[in-house]
Coordinates of all heavy atoms in Angstrom, one line a residue:
M27 N 91.6 98.8 82.0 CA 91.9 98.2 80.7 C 91.8 99.2 79.6 O 90.7 99.8 79.5 CB 90.9 97.0 80.5 CG 91.1 96.3 79.1 SD 90.4 94.7 79.1 CE 88.7 95.1 78.7
R28 N 92.8 99.5 78.9 CA 92.9 100.5 77.9 C 92.9 99.9 76.5 O 93.7 99.0 76.3 CB 94.2 101.3 78.1 CG 94.2 102.6 77.4 CD 93.8 103.7 78.3 NE 94.1 105.0 77.6 CZ 93.1 105.8 77.3 NH1 91.9 105.6 77.7 NH2 93.4 107.0 76.7
S29 N 92.1 100.3 75.6 CA 92.0 99.8 74.3 C 91.5 100.8 73.3 O 90.8 101.8 73.7 CB 91.0 98.5 74.3 OG 90.9 98.0 73.0
D30 N 91.8 100.6 72.1 CA 91.3 101.5 71.0 C 89.9 101.1 70.6 O 89.2 101.9 69.9 CB 92.2 101.4 69.8 CG 93.6 101.9 70.1 OD1 93.8 102.7 71.1 OD2 94.6 101.6 69.4
L31 N 89.4 100.0 71.0 CA 88.1 99.6 70.7 C 87.0 100.3 71.5 O 87.3 100.5 72.7 CB 87.9 98.0 70.8 CG 88.8 97.2 69.9 CD1 88.6 95.7 70.3 CD2 88.4 97.4 68.5
P32 N 85.8 100.5 71.0 CA 84.8 101.1 71.8 C 84.4 100.2 72.9 O 84.5 98.9 72.8 CB 83.6 101.3 70.8 CG 84.2 101.1 69.4 CD 85.5 100.4 69.6
K33 N 83.8 100.7 73.9 CA 83.4 100.0 75.1 C 82.3 98.9 74.7 O 82.3 97.8 75.2 CB 82.9 100.9 76.2 CG 82.6 100.2 77.5 CD 82.3 101.2 78.5 CE 82.1 100.6 79.9 NZ 81.7 101.6 80.9
S34 N 81.4 99.3 73.8 CA 80.4 98.4 73.4 C 80.9 97.1 72.7 O 80.4 96.0 72.9 CB 79.4 99.1 72.5 OG 80.0 99.6 71.3
V35 N 82.0 97.2 72.0 CA 82.6 96.1 71.3 C 83.2 95.1 72.3 O 83.1 93.9 72.3 CB 83.7 96.5 70.3 CG1 84.4 95.3 69.7 CG2 83.0 97.3 69.1
L36 N 83.8 95.7 73.3 CA 84.4 94.9 74.4 C 83.3 94.1 75.2 O 83.5 93.0 75.5 CB 85.3 95.7 75.4 CG 86.5 96.3 74.8 CD1 87.2 97.3 75.8 CD2 87.5 95.2 74.4
I37 N 82.2 94.8 75.5 CA 81.2 94.2 76.2 C 80.6 93.0 75.3 O 80.3 92.0 75.8 CB 80.1 95.2 76.6 CG1 80.6 96.2 77.6 CG2 78.8 94.5 77.0 CD1 79.7 97.3 78.0
L38 N 80.4 93.3 74.0 CA 79.9 92.3 73.1 C 80.8 91.0 73.1 O 80.4 89.9 73.1 CB 79.7 92.8 71.7 CG 79.2 91.9 70.7 CD1 77.8 91.4 71.0 CD2 79.2 92.5 69.3
C39 N 82.1 91.3 73.1 CA 83.1 90.1 73.1 C 83.0 89.3 74.4 O 83.1 88.1 74.3 CB 84.5 90.7 72.9 SG 84.9 91.3 71.2
V40 N 82.8 90.0 75.5 CA 82.7 89.3 76.8 C 81.4 88.5 76.8 O 81.4 87.3 77.2 CB 82.8 90.3 78.0 CG1 82.4 89.6 79.3 CG2 84.1 90.9 78.0
I41 N 80.3 89.1 76.3 CA 79.1 88.3 76.2 C 79.2 87.1 75.4 O 78.7 86.0 75.7 CB 77.9 89.3 75.8 CG1 77.6 90.3 76.9 CG2 76.7 88.5 75.5 CD1 76.7 91.4 76.5
L42 N 79.8 87.3 74.2 CA 79.9 86.1 73.3 C 80.9 85.0 73.9 O 80.6 83.9 73.7 CB 80.5 86.6 71.9 CG 79.5 87.4 71.1 CD1 80.1 87.9 69.8 CD2 78.3 86.5 70.7
A43 N 81.9 85.5 74.5 CA 82.8 84.5 75.1 C 82.2 83.7 76.2 O 82.6 82.5 76.4 CB 84.1 85.3 75.7
I44 N 81.2 84.2 76.9 CA 80.5 83.5 77.9 C 79.3 82.8 77.3 O 79.0 81.6 77.6 CB 80.1 84.4 79.1 CG1 81.3 85.0 79.8 CG2 79.1 83.7 80.0 CD1 81.0 86.1 80.8
G45 N 78.5 83.4 76.4 CA 77.3 82.9 75.9 C 77.4 81.8 74.9 O 76.7 80.8 75.0
C46 N 78.4 81.8 74.0 CA 78.6 80.8 73.0 C 78.8 79.4 73.7 O 78.2 78.4 73.3 CB 79.6 81.2 72.1 SG 79.1 82.4 70.9
P47 N 79.7 79.2 74.6 CA 79.9 77.9 75.2 C 78.7 77.5 76.0 O 78.3 76.3 76.0 CB 81.1 78.1 76.2 CG 81.8 79.3 75.6 CD 80.8 80.2 75.0
M48 N 78.0 78.4 76.6 CA 76.7 78.0 77.3 C 75.7 77.5 76.3 O 75.0 76.4 76.6 CB 76.2 79.2 78.1 CG 77.0 79.5 79.3 SD 76.4 81.0 80.2 CE 74.7 80.6 80.6
V49 N 75.5 78.1 75.2 CA 74.6 77.7 74.2 C 75.0 76.3 73.7 O 74.1 75.4 73.5 CB 74.4 78.7 73.1 CG1 73.6 78.2 72.0 CG2 73.7 80.0 73.7
A50 N 76.2 76.1 73.4 CA 76.7 74.9 72.9 C 76.5 73.7 73.8 O 76.1 72.6 73.4 CB 78.2 75.0 72.5
E51 N 76.8 74.0 75.1 CA 76.5 72.9 76.1 C 75.0 72.6 76.2 O 74.7 71.4 76.4 CB 77.0 73.4 77.5 CG 78.5 73.4 77.6 CD 79.1 72.0 77.6 OE1 78.5 71.1 78.1 OE2 80.2 71.8 77.0
G52 N 74.2 73.6 76.2 CA 72.7 73.4 76.3 C 72.2 72.6 75.1 O 71.4 71.7 75.2
H53 N 72.7 72.9 73.9 CA 72.3 72.2 72.7 C 72.8 70.7 72.8 O 72.0 69.8 72.4 CB 72.9 72.9 71.5 CG 72.5 72.2 70.2 ND1 71.3 72.2 69.7 CD2 73.3 71.5 69.3 CE1 71.2 71.6 68.5 NE2 72.4 71.1 68.3
A54 N 74.0 70.5 73.2 CA 74.5 69.1 73.3 C 73.7 68.3 74.3 O 73.4 67.1 74.1 CB 76.0 69.1 73.7
A55 N 73.4 68.9 75.5 CA 72.5 68.2 76.5 C 71.1 67.9 75.9 O 70.6 66.8 76.2 CB 72.4 69.1 77.7
W56 N 70.6 68.8 75.1 CA 69.3 68.6 74.6 C 69.3 67.5 73.6 O 68.4 66.6 73.6 CB 68.9 69.9 73.8 CG 67.6 69.8 73.1 CD1 66.3 69.8 73.7 CD2 67.4 69.8 71.7 NE1 65.3 69.7 72.7 CE2 66.0 69.7 71.5 CE3 68.2 69.8 70.6 CZ2 65.5 69.6 70.2 CZ3 67.7 69.7 69.3 CH2 66.4 69.6 69.1
R57 N 70.3 67.4 72.7 CA 70.5 66.3 71.8 C 70.7 64.9 72.5 O 70.1 63.9 72.1 CB 71.6 66.6 70.8 CG 71.3 67.6 69.8 CD 72.4 67.8 68.8 NE 72.7 66.6 68.1 CZ 72.5 66.3 66.9 NH1 71.9 67.2 66.1 NH2 72.8 65.1 66.4
K58 N 71.5 64.9 73.6 CA 71.7 63.7 74.3 C 70.4 63.2 75.0 O 70.2 62.0 75.0 CB 72.8 64.0 75.4 CG 73.2 62.8 76.2 CD 74.3 63.1 77.2 CE 74.7 61.9 77.9 NZ 75.7 62.2 78.9
Q59 N 69.6 64.1 75.5 CA 68.4 63.8 76.1 C 67.4 63.2 75.1 O 66.7 62.2 75.3 CB 67.7 65.0 76.8 CG 66.4 64.6 77.4 CD 65.7 65.8 78.0 OE1 66.2 67.0 77.9 NE2 64.6 65.6 78.8
G60 N 67.4 63.7 73.9 CA 66.6 63.2 72.8 C 67.0 61.8 72.4 O 66.1 61.0 72.1
A61 N 68.3 61.6 72.3 CA 68.8 60.3 72.0 C 68.4 59.3 73.1 O 68.0 58.1 72.8 CB 70.3 60.3 71.8
R62 N 68.5 59.6 74.3 CA 68.1 58.7 75.4 C 66.6 58.4 75.4 O 66.2 57.3 75.6 CB 68.5 59.4 76.8 CG 68.3 58.4 77.9 CD 68.7 59.0 79.3 NE 67.7 60.0 79.7 CZ 68.1 61.3 80.0 NH1 69.3 61.7 79.9 NH2 67.1 62.1 80.3
Q63 N 65.8 59.4 75.1 CA 64.4 59.2 75.0 C 64.0 58.2 73.8 O 63.1 57.4 74.0 CB 63.6 60.5 74.9 CG 63.6 61.3 76.1 CD 63.0 62.7 75.9 OE1 62.8 63.1 74.8 NE2 62.6 63.3 77.0
A64 N 64.7 58.4 72.7 CA 64.5 57.5 71.6 C 64.9 56.1 71.9 O 64.2 55.1 71.5 CB 65.3 58.0 70.4
E65 N 66.0 55.9 72.6 CA 66.5 54.6 73.1 C 65.5 54.0 74.0 O 65.2 52.8 73.9 CB 67.9 54.7 73.8 CG 68.4 53.4 74.3 CD 69.7 53.6 75.1 OE1 70.5 54.4 74.6 OE2 69.8 53.0 76.1
Q66 N 64.9 54.7 75.0 CA 63.9 54.2 75.9 C 62.7 53.8 75.1 O 62.1 52.8 75.4 CB 63.6 55.3 77.0 CG 64.6 55.5 78.0 CD 64.3 56.6 79.0 OE1 63.5 57.5 78.7 NE2 64.8 56.6 80.2
R67 N 62.3 54.6 74.2 CA 61.1 54.3 73.4 C 61.2 53.0 72.6 O 60.4 52.2 72.6 CB 60.8 55.4 72.5 CG 59.6 55.3 71.6 CD 58.3 55.4 72.2 NE 58.1 56.6 73.1 CZ 57.2 56.8 73.9 NH1 56.3 55.9 74.1 NH2 57.1 57.9 74.7
D68 N 62.4 52.8 72.0 CA 62.7 51.6 71.3 C 62.7 50.4 72.2 O 62.2 49.3 71.8 CB 64.1 51.7 70.5 CG 64.1 52.7 69.4 OD1 63.0 53.1 68.9 OD2 65.2 53.1 69.0
W69 N 63.3 50.5 73.4 CA 63.3 49.4 74.4 C 61.9 49.0 74.7 O 61.5 47.8 74.8 CB 64.1 49.8 75.6 CG 64.1 48.8 76.7 CD1 64.9 47.7 76.7 CD2 63.2 48.6 77.7 NE1 64.6 46.9 77.8 CE2 63.6 47.5 78.4 CE3 62.1 49.4 78.2 CZ2 62.9 47.1 79.6 CZ3 61.4 48.9 79.3 CH2 61.9 47.8 80.0
Y70 N 61.0 50.0 75.0 CA 59.6 49.8 75.3 C 58.9 49.0 74.2 O 58.2 48.0 74.4 CB 58.9 51.1 75.7 CG 57.4 51.0 75.7 CD1 56.8 50.3 76.7 CD2 56.6 51.6 74.7 CE1 55.4 50.2 76.8 CE2 55.2 51.5 74.8 CZ 54.6 50.8 75.8 OH 53.3 50.7 75.9
V71 N 59.1 49.5 73.0 CA 58.4 48.8 71.9 C 58.9 47.4 71.6 O 58.1 46.5 71.4 CB 58.6 49.7 70.6 CG1 58.1 48.9 69.3 CG2 57.9 51.0 70.7
Q72 N 60.2 47.2 71.8 CA 60.7 45.8 71.6 C 60.3 44.8 72.8 O 60.0 43.7 72.5 CB 62.2 45.8 71.6 CG 62.8 46.4 70.4 CD 64.3 46.6 70.4 OE1 65.0 46.2 71.5 NE2 64.9 47.1 69.4
N73 N 60.1 45.4 74.0 CA 59.8 44.5 75.1 C 58.3 44.4 75.4 O 57.9 43.3 75.9 CB 60.6 45.0 76.4 CG 62.1 44.6 76.3 OD1 62.5 43.5 76.4 ND2 62.9 45.7 76.0
F74 N 57.6 45.4 75.2 CA 56.2 45.4 75.5 C 55.3 45.7 74.3 O 54.4 44.9 74.1 CB 55.9 46.3 76.7 CG 56.7 46.0 77.9 CD1 57.7 46.8 78.3 CD2 56.3 44.9 78.7 CE1 58.4 46.5 79.5 CE2 57.0 44.6 79.9 CZ 58.1 45.4 80.2
G75 N 55.5 46.7 73.7 CA 54.8 47.1 72.5 C 53.5 47.8 72.7 O 53.0 48.6 71.9
S76 N 52.8 47.5 73.9 CA 51.5 48.2 74.2 C 51.4 48.3 75.7 O 52.1 47.6 76.4 CB 50.4 47.4 73.6 OG 50.2 46.2 74.3
I77 N 50.5 49.1 76.1 CA 50.3 49.4 77.5 C 49.7 48.1 78.2 O 49.9 47.8 79.3 CB 49.4 50.7 77.7 CG1 49.6 51.2 79.2 CG2 48.0 50.4 77.4 CD1 50.8 51.9 79.4
D78 N 48.9 47.4 77.4 CA 48.3 46.2 77.9 C 49.3 45.1 78.3 O 49.2 44.4 79.3 CB 47.2 45.6 76.9 CG 46.1 46.5 76.7 OD1 45.7 47.2 77.7 OD2 45.5 46.6 75.6
A79 N 50.3 45.0 77.4 CA 51.4 44.0 77.7 C 52.2 44.4 78.9 O 52.6 43.6 79.7 CB 52.3 43.9 76.5
L80 N 52.4 45.7 79.0 CA 53.1 46.3 80.2 C 52.3 46.0 81.5 O 52.8 45.6 82.5 CB 53.4 47.8 80.0 CG 54.1 48.4 81.2 CD1 55.4 47.9 81.5 CD2 54.2 50.0 80.9
R81 N 51.0 46.2 81.4 CA 50.1 46.0 82.6 C 50.2 44.5 83.1 O 50.1 44.3 84.3 CB 48.6 46.3 82.2 CG 48.3 47.8 82.2 CD 46.9 48.0 81.9 NE 46.1 47.8 83.1 CZ 44.9 48.3 83.2 NH1 44.3 49.0 82.2 NH2 44.2 48.1 84.3
Q82 N 50.3 43.6 82.1 CA 50.5 42.2 82.5 C 51.8 41.9 83.2 O 51.9 41.0 83.9 CB 50.3 41.3 81.3 CG 48.9 41.3 80.7 CD 48.8 40.5 79.5 OE1 49.7 40.0 78.9 NE2 47.5 40.5 78.9
A83 N 52.8 42.8 82.9 CA 54.2 42.5 83.4 C 54.4 43.1 84.8 O 55.4 42.8 85.4 CB 55.2 43.1 82.4
V84 N 53.6 44.0 85.2 CA 53.7 44.7 86.5 C 52.7 44.1 87.5 O 51.7 43.5 87.1 CB 53.6 46.2 86.4 CG1 54.7 46.8 85.5 CG2 52.2 46.6 85.9
D85 N 52.9 44.4 88.7 CA 52.1 44.0 89.8 C 51.0 45.1 90.0 O 51.2 46.1 90.7 CB 52.9 43.9 91.1 CG 52.0 43.6 92.4 OD1 50.9 43.0 92.2 OD2 52.4 43.9 93.5
E86 N 49.9 44.9 89.3 CA 48.8 45.9 89.3 C 48.2 46.2 90.7 O 48.1 47.4 91.1 CB 47.7 45.5 88.3 CG 48.0 45.7 86.9 CD 46.8 45.5 86.0 OE1 45.8 46.3 86.1 OE2 46.8 44.6 85.2
P87 N 47.9 45.2 91.5 CA 47.3 45.5 92.8 C 48.3 46.3 93.7 O 48.0 47.2 94.4 CB 47.0 44.1 93.4 CG 46.9 43.2 92.2 CD 47.8 43.8 91.2
G88 N 49.6 45.9 93.6 CA 50.6 46.6 94.3 C 50.7 48.1 94.0 O 50.9 49.0 94.8
L89 N 50.7 48.3 92.6 CA 50.8 49.7 92.1 C 49.6 50.5 92.5 O 49.7 51.7 92.9 CB 51.0 49.7 90.6 CG 52.4 49.3 90.2 CD1 52.4 49.3 88.7 CD2 53.4 50.3 90.7
R90 N 48.4 49.9 92.4 CA 47.2 50.6 92.8 C 47.2 51.0 94.3 O 46.8 52.0 94.7 CB 46.0 49.6 92.6 CG 45.3 49.8 91.3 CD 44.0 49.2 91.2 NE 43.7 48.6 89.9 CZ 43.9 47.3 89.6 NH1 44.2 46.5 90.5 NH2 43.8 46.9 88.4
R91 N 47.7 50.0 95.1 CA 47.8 50.3 96.6 C 48.8 51.5 96.8 O 48.5 52.4 97.6 CB 48.4 49.0 97.3 CG 48.4 49.2 98.8 CD 48.9 48.0 99.5 NE 50.1 47.4 98.9 CZ 51.4 47.9 99.0 NH1 51.6 48.9 99.8 NH2 52.4 47.2 98.5
I92 N 49.9 51.4 96.1 CA 50.9 52.6 96.3 C 50.2 53.9 95.8 O 50.4 54.9 96.4 CB 52.2 52.3 95.5 CG1 52.9 51.1 96.1 CG2 53.1 53.5 95.4 CD1 54.1 50.6 95.3
R93 N 49.6 53.8 94.7 CA 48.9 55.0 94.1 C 47.9 55.6 95.1 O 47.8 56.8 95.3 CB 48.3 54.7 92.8 CG 47.7 55.9 92.1 CD 46.8 55.6 91.0 NE 45.7 54.8 91.5 CZ 44.8 54.2 90.7 NH1 45.0 54.1 89.4 NH2 43.8 53.5 91.2
D94 N 47.1 54.7 95.7 CA 46.0 55.1 96.5 C 46.5 55.6 97.9 O 46.0 56.6 98.5 CB 45.0 54.0 96.8 CG 44.3 53.7 95.5 OD1 44.3 54.5 94.5 OD2 43.7 52.5 95.4
E95 N 47.6 55.0 98.4 CA 48.1 55.3 99.7 C 49.1 56.5 99.7 O 49.1 57.3 100.6 CB 48.7 54.1 100.4 CG 47.8 53.0 100.8 CD 48.5 51.8 101.3 OE1 49.7 51.8 101.5 OE2 47.8 50.8 101.6
K96 N 50.0 56.4 98.7 CA 51.1 57.4 98.7 C 51.0 58.4 97.6 O 51.8 59.4 97.5 CB 52.4 56.7 98.6 CG 52.7 55.8 99.8 CD 54.0 55.1 99.7 CE 54.3 54.1 100.8 NZ 55.5 53.4 100.7
G97 N 50.1 58.2 96.6 CA 50.0 59.1 95.5 C 50.5 58.6 94.2 O 51.3 57.7 94.2
P98 N 50.1 59.2 93.1 CA 50.5 58.7 91.8 C 52.0 58.9 91.5 O 52.6 58.1 90.8 CB 49.7 59.5 90.8 CG 49.0 60.6 91.6 CD 49.1 60.2 93.0
A99 N 52.6 59.9 92.1 CA 54.0 60.1 91.8 C 54.9 58.9 92.4 O 55.8 58.5 91.7 CB 54.5 61.4 92.4
N100 N 54.5 58.5 93.6 CA 55.2 57.3 94.1 C 55.0 56.1 93.3 O 55.9 55.2 93.2 CB 54.8 57.1 95.6 CG 55.4 58.2 96.5 OD1 56.5 58.6 96.3 ND2 54.7 58.6 97.5
A101 N 53.8 55.9 92.8 CA 53.5 54.7 91.9 C 54.3 54.8 90.6 O 54.9 53.8 90.2 CB 52.0 54.7 91.6
V102 N 54.4 56.0 90.1 CA 55.2 56.1 88.8 C 56.7 55.8 89.2 O 57.4 55.1 88.4 CB 55.1 57.5 88.2 CG1 56.1 57.8 87.1 CG2 53.7 57.7 87.7
R103 N 57.2 56.3 90.3 CA 58.6 56.0 90.8 C 58.8 54.5 90.9 O 59.8 54.0 90.5 CB 58.8 56.7 92.1 CG 60.0 57.6 92.1 CD 60.2 58.3 93.4 NE 59.7 59.7 93.3 CZ 58.8 60.2 94.0 NH1 58.4 59.6 95.1 NH2 58.4 61.4 93.8
E104 N 57.8 53.8 91.4 CA 57.9 52.4 91.6 C 58.0 51.7 90.3 O 58.8 50.7 90.0 CB 56.7 51.8 92.4 CG 56.8 50.4 92.6 CD 58.0 49.8 93.4 OE1 58.6 50.6 94.2 OE2 58.3 48.7 93.2
V105 N 57.2 52.1 89.3 CA 57.2 51.5 87.9 C 58.6 51.8 87.3 O 59.2 50.9 86.8 CB 56.1 52.1 87.1 CG1 56.3 51.7 85.6 CG2 54.8 51.7 87.5
K106 N 59.1 53.0 87.5 CA 60.4 53.3 86.9 C 61.5 52.6 87.7 O 62.6 52.2 87.1 CB 60.7 54.8 87.0 CG 59.9 55.6 86.0 CD 60.3 55.5 84.6 CE 61.7 56.1 84.4 NZ 62.2 55.9 83.1
R107 N 61.3 52.2 89.0 CA 62.3 51.5 89.7 C 62.4 50.0 89.2 O 63.4 49.4 89.0 CB 62.0 51.4 91.2 CG 63.1 50.8 92.0 CD 62.7 50.5 93.5 NE 61.6 49.6 93.6 CZ 61.7 48.3 93.5 NH1 62.8 47.8 93.2 NH2 60.6 47.5 93.6
Q108 N 61.2 49.5 88.9 CA 61.1 48.1 88.3 C 61.6 48.0 86.9 O 62.2 47.0 86.5 CB 59.6 47.6 88.4 CG 59.2 47.4 89.8 CD 57.8 46.9 89.9 OE1 57.1 46.7 88.9 NE2 57.2 46.9 91.1
H109 N 61.3 49.0 86.1 CA 61.7 49.1 84.7 C 62.3 50.4 84.4 O 61.7 51.4 83.9 CB 60.4 48.9 83.8 CG 59.7 47.7 84.0 ND1 60.1 46.4 83.6 CD2 58.5 47.4 84.7 CE1 59.2 45.5 84.0 NE2 58.3 46.1 84.6
P110 N 63.6 50.6 84.7 CA 64.3 51.9 84.6 C 64.4 52.4 83.1 O 64.5 53.6 83.0 CB 65.7 51.6 85.1 CG 65.8 50.2 85.6 CD 64.5 49.5 85.2
R111 N 64.3 51.5 82.2 CA 64.4 52.0 80.8 C 63.1 52.4 80.2 O 63.0 52.8 79.0 CB 65.1 51.0 79.9 CG 66.6 50.7 80.3 CD 67.2 49.7 79.6 NE 67.5 50.2 78.2 CZ 67.9 49.4 77.2 NH1 68.2 48.2 77.5 NH2 68.2 49.9 76.0
L112 N 62.0 52.3 81.0 CA 60.7 52.6 80.5 C 60.6 54.1 80.4 O 60.9 54.9 81.3 CB 59.7 52.1 81.5 CG 58.2 52.1 81.1 CD1 57.9 51.1 80.0 CD2 57.3 51.7 82.3
P113 N 60.0 54.6 79.3 CA 59.8 56.1 79.1 C 58.8 56.6 80.2 O 57.9 55.9 80.6 CB 59.2 56.2 77.8 CG 59.6 55.0 77.0 CD 59.6 53.9 78.1
L114 N 59.1 57.8 80.7 CA 58.4 58.4 81.8 C 56.9 58.5 81.4 O 56.0 58.3 82.2 CB 58.9 59.7 82.2 CG 58.3 60.4 83.3 CD1 58.3 59.6 84.6 CD2 58.9 61.8 83.6
D115 N 56.6 59.0 80.2 CA 55.2 59.2 79.8 C 54.5 57.8 79.8 O 53.2 57.9 80.1 CB 55.2 59.9 78.5 CG 55.7 59.1 77.3 OD1 56.7 58.4 77.5 OD2 55.3 59.3 76.1
V116 N 55.1 56.8 79.5 CA 54.4 55.5 79.5 C 54.2 55.1 80.9 O 53.1 54.5 81.2 CB 55.3 54.4 78.7 CG1 54.7 53.0 78.8 CG2 55.5 54.8 77.3
A117 N 55.1 55.3 81.8 CA 54.9 55.0 83.2 C 53.7 55.8 83.8 O 52.9 55.2 84.5 CB 56.2 55.2 84.0
V118 N 53.6 57.0 83.5 CA 52.5 57.9 83.9 C 51.2 57.4 83.3 O 50.2 57.2 84.0 CB 52.8 59.3 83.5 CG1 51.5 60.2 83.7 CG2 53.9 59.9 84.3
T119 N 51.2 57.0 82.0 CA 50.0 56.4 81.4 C 49.5 55.2 82.1 O 48.4 55.0 82.3 CB 50.2 56.2 79.9 OG1 50.6 57.4 79.3 CG2 49.0 55.7 79.3
L120 N 50.5 54.3 82.4 CA 50.2 53.1 83.1 C 49.5 53.3 84.5 O 48.5 52.7 84.8 CB 51.4 52.2 83.3 CG 51.3 51.0 84.1 CD1 50.4 50.0 83.4 CD2 52.6 50.4 84.5
V121 N 50.1 54.2 85.3 CA 49.5 54.5 86.6 C 48.2 55.1 86.5 O 47.3 54.8 87.2 CB 50.5 55.4 87.4 CG1 49.9 55.9 88.6 CG2 51.8 54.6 87.7
R122 N 48.0 56.0 85.5 CA 46.6 56.6 85.3 C 45.6 55.5 84.9 O 44.4 55.7 85.1 CB 46.7 57.7 84.3 CG 47.3 58.9 84.8 CD 47.3 60.0 83.8 NE 48.0 61.2 84.3 CZ 48.4 62.2 83.6 NH1 48.3 62.2 82.3 NH2 49.0 63.3 84.1
A123 N 46.1 54.5 84.1 CA 45.1 53.5 83.6 C 44.8 52.5 84.6 O 43.8 51.7 84.4 CB 45.8 52.8 82.4
L124 N 45.5 52.4 85.7 CA 45.1 51.4 86.8 C 43.8 51.7 87.4 O 43.4 52.8 87.7 CB 46.2 51.3 87.8 CG 47.6 50.9 87.3 CD1 48.6 51.0 88.4 CD2 47.5 49.4 86.8

């Protein structure tokens, strides 16, 4: 490739041509994730409002059994299976509180 531009300018153009779309995609994904987390948080507040109300809505003995036999990650997975819109941090808090 023959050009009047210095080699450093061509390298910079290639880096920008690849880097700018990658940064834009990453930023869009980050904003989308933040919106999804806000939606989950709103759903939790509207339906339960507190960890105590959530504890009453789930099968505590069943979750304790899963936590003790298979581990806390599986218990959190079960909570998320039963309530998919529940924020992950709330599900983890619930399992730790059992």
Side-chain angles (χ1 to χ4, degrees):
M27 177 160 84
R28 193 99 170 118
S29 175
D30 294 339
L31 295 173
K33 189 175 182 178
S34 61
V35 172
L36 292 174
I37 292 172
L38 179 63
C39 288
V40 170
I41 290 172
L42 289 175
I44 294 170
C46 286
M48 288 176 58
V49 169
E51 287 293 323
H53 181 69
W56 176 73
R57 288 184 54 111
K58 185 177 180 182
Q59 180 182 7
R62 187 178 72 237
Q63 288 174 344
E65 179 185 317
Q66 288 177 335
R67 179 75 48 197
D68 291 342
W69 179 86
Y70 166 69
V71 169
Q72 289 174 358
N73 288 288
F74 300 107
S76 70
I77 198 76
D78 294 327
L80 178 61
R81 283 180 81 161
Q82 294 174 358
V84 298
D85 176 27
E86 285 188 63
L89 286 175
R90 268 194 217 99
R91 183 180 47 77
I92 292 171
R93 183 193 64 193
D94 295 342
E95 291 176 4
K96 298 180 181 177
N100 285 324
V102 169
R103 234 178 263 126
E104 179 62 23
V105 171
K106 288 290 286 176
R107 188 189 64 74
Q108 292 175 6
H109 302 285
R111 295 180 71 188
L112 190 68
L114 182 60
D115 63 329
V116 174
V118 169
T119 302
L120 172 68
V121 169
R122 286 183 179 162
L124 294 176

